[in-house]
Amino acid sequence: MGRVRNSRRRTRKNKEYKKAIDTKRRPRDVDQIQDDLKKVAELQKEMEFEIDEDLPGLGQHYCIECGRHFSDASTLEIHRNSKFHKRRLRTLAEEQYTQAEADRAAGKTSEVLPPAHGNKRTESMDE
C-alpha cells in the first residue's frame, strides 16, 4: 500500500497563509504617499510620530517618500542615497491619478448631449 501525500491537503492552507501575509505587509500606495506630501507642504513642517515601541527606531526616523521607518538617522541617510529611494522620487513626481482619469481609462465618458427633440419653449419665443 502506498502512503497518502500530505502536500495535497496543505496547499490550500499555505495559499491562504501567504495571501494574508502579503496583504499584512503591503507597502503604502503611491497615491497615499502623494497625499501625505501634500499635507506636509500645506502645513510646512515635517510629520511627527509618537514613540511606538513596535516600530523600528521607536517610530522617529521615517522616510515620507517611501513610507518606511528606520532604526536610526544614519540608516535613514543611507536609504536616501539609495537607488530604491531615487526611483520612488521619480515615481512620485508623476501626476496623481484622479477618479475622472480612471473613468476615462475604463471607457466611461460623461457626454452632454443636446435634447433629442429640441427645446420647444425657446423655439416658440424666438418667433
Side-chain angles (χ1 to χ4, degrees), residues 2 6 16-17 19 35-36 39 47 51 56 59 62-63 70 78 81-82 93 96 98 104 118 121 125-126:
N6 288 333
E16 290 174 0
Y17 174 76
K19 186 181 274 189
D35 290 340
D36 288 345
K39 286 180 186 177
M47 294 176 70
I51 293 177
Y62 183 71
C63 177
F70 293 94
I78 292 170
N81 294 327
S82 69
Q96 188 173 7
T98 61
R104 275 186 266 122
R121 291 183 184 171
M125 290 182 168
D126 291 339

Side-chain angles (χ1 to χ4, degrees), residues 3-15:
R3 62 178 198 184
V4 178
R5 289 184 53 183
N6 288 333
S7 63
R8 287 187 184 152
R9 286 187 278 164
R10 277 190 255 143
T11 52
R12 181 174 179 204
K13 195 178 206 180
N14 287 342
K15 284 181 184 178

Side-chain angles (χ1 to χ4, degrees), residues 9-108:
R9 286 187 278 164
R10 277 190 255 143
T11 52
R12 181 174 179 204
K13 195 178 206 180
N14 287 342
K15 284 181 184 178
E16 290 174 0
Y17 174 76
K18 287 179 182 178
K19 186 181 274 189
I21 291 298
D22 286 344
T23 56
K24 181 179 179 183
R25 296 184 182 171
R26 187 166 188 258
R28 299 192 70 185
D29 290 329
V30 175
D31 294 340
Q32 293 172 324
I33 294 173
Q34 287 174 338
D35 290 340
D36 288 345
L37 291 172
K38 284 181 184 177
K39 286 180 186 177
V40 167
E42 288 174 3
L43 298 176
Q44 296 180 349
K45 65 178 186 177
E46 291 291 322
M47 294 176 70
E48 295 179 5
F49 294 95
E50 296 178 9
I51 293 177
D52 188 359
E53 294 178 3
D54 295 333
L55 296 173
L58 300 177
Q60 299 304 305
H61 307 285
Y62 183 71
C63 177
I64 298 172
E65 293 86 4
C66 299
R68 291 182 61 189
H69 290 274
F70 293 94
S71 59
D72 56 1
S74 63
T75 311
L76 178 61
E77 288 303 317
I78 292 170
H79 162 75
R80 288 198 172 143
N81 294 327
S82 69
K83 187 184 287 189
F84 175 78
H85 181 78
K86 292 175 184 176
R87 192 179 309 140
R88 179 57 75 118
L89 289 177
R90 274 187 254 127
T91 306
L92 290 173
E94 295 175 4
E95 186 176 338
Q96 188 173 7
Y97 291 114
T98 61
Q99 185 62 41
E101 187 174 354
D103 288 343
R104 275 186 266 122
K108 296 179 181 178

